[in-house]
Amino acid sequence: ETGVTQSPTHLIKTRGQQVTLRCSSQSGHNTVSWYQQALGQGPQFIFQYYREEENGRGNFPPRFSGLQFPNYSSELNVNALELDDSALYLCASSSGTDYFSYEQYFGPGTRLTVT
Amino acid sequence: KNEVEQSPQNLTAQEGEFITINCSYSVGISALHWLQQHPGGGIVSLFMLSSGKKKHGRLIATINIQEKHSSLHITASHPRDSAVYICAVGVWHNNNDMRFGAGTRLTVKP
């Protein structure tokens, strides 16, 4: 157990809808990163938040947005859902940033299906 | 071409065998991570290294920065080692970024 939790576990949405996924970081971790993992592929980095500010972003459009709160919980919001957004969404917390030179502690993931 | 390449893609071994999974990368990195993913999706960090070698139980990870190559070794493999092993790198540039390999699916048969 990493101490990182995510909710919900599974979610089904319709194309065009909006979705919010939640993550609770390990206690004391000020950095959270979000990843998308399509079926059968490796994860892809979406973005990272450090002390409530976006601190890095992968190749994802602006309809993917996030928030980090003072209690180190965080959200991933996706607007205008597309079928290709169907994936496992993972968050990971760490005790620092610095180009991912800190160990990542992953949550169990949220599986999103867009129909 | 993917910036992080893993080999082999799939690996089947008999219990007790010595296993090696390889990772090559083509970008400047701050650190390399080896991750384990079991069916159902949960990911566990096995190692993070930026030089040399690390050992934890039956697992050993090595990295050669000059050759941009890392290996994950499993000694005395066991069926519970069956999982997908993923190599990921923290990338050096003006933006925090992490790139992942596609993973190596390991099956250890009793």
Side-chain angles (χ1 to χ4, degrees):
Chain A
E1 290 292 326
T2 63
V4 180
T5 59
Q6 291 187 244
S7 62
T9 307
H10 295 89
L11 197 54
I12 300 175
K13 288 287 191 177
T14 302
R15 190 171 50 185
Q17 285 187 317
Q18 178 266 342
V19 69
T20 297
L21 309 182
R22 294 180 172 84
C23 172
S24 180
S25 297
Q26 189 170 103
S27 178
H29 282 186
N30 56 17
T31 304
V32 64
S33 303
W34 285 90
Y35 306 92
Q36 180 195 66
Q37 186 177 26
L39 201 59
Q41 298 182 22
Q44 289 190 69
F45 171 63
I46 303 174
F47 46 56
Q48 182 183 81
Y49 275 77
Y50 171 67
R51 293 185 175 178
E52 303 168 51
E53 297 282 336
E54 187 177 291
N55 189 45
R57 191 178 184 94
N59 190 26
F60 280 81
R63 60 188 186 85
F64 285 79
S65 63
L67 284 171
Q68 185 185 29
F69 301 101
N71 65 355
Y72 302 133
S73 65
S74 63
E75 292 180 352
L76 164 65
N77 298 290
V78 186
N79 292 323
L81 283 166
E82 301 177 358
L83 296 178
D84 284 348
D85 296 333
S86 295
L88 180 70
Y89 288 85
L90 295 152
C91 73
S93 71
S94 60
S95 58
T97 173
D98 198 20
Y99 304 104
F100 287 96
S101 58
Y102 288 79
E103 186 172 357
Q104 302 285 299
Y105 293 80
F106 286 84
T110 293
R111 188 163 297 281
L112 172 65
T113 302
V114 182
T115 61
Chain B
K1 191 178 186 308
N2 198 357
E3 290 158 317
V4 182
E5 296 278 356
Q6 287 186 238
S7 63
Q9 213 169 359
N10 293 283
L11 182 56
T12 300
Q14 288 297 131
E15 184 173 355
E17 285 186 357
F18 180 82
I19 288 161
T20 296
I21 299 170
N22 295 299
C23 176
S24 296
Y25 53 92
S26 58
V27 292
I29 70 167
S30 57
L32 184 141
H33 301 251
W34 280 105
L35 310 169
Q36 180 191 57
Q37 186 170 33
H38 281 283
I43 291 181
V44 175
S45 175
L46 299 175
F47 295 103
M48 186 191 67
L49 63 167
S50 54
S51 65
K53 175 180 173 179
K54 287 190 176 181
K55 184 176 190 289
H56 184 255
R58 295 180 294 105
L59 302 178
I60 302 167
T62 63
I63 188 168
N64 185 317
I65 296 294
Q66 286 72 32
E67 295 187 3
K68 294 189 173 180
H69 181 269
S70 175
S71 294
L72 176 67
H73 305 285
I74 305 175
T75 61
S77 59
H78 190 276
R80 66 174 174 266
D81 297 326
S82 298
V84 175
Y85 292 83
I86 301 171
C87 171
V89 297
V91 180
W92 272 120
H93 56 61
N94 61 357
N95 180 35
N96 272 311
D97 198 355
M98 191 150 170
R99 306 287 170 85
F100 292 79
T104 294
R105 183 174 298 278
L106 171 65
T107 303
V108 182
K109 294 185 175 181

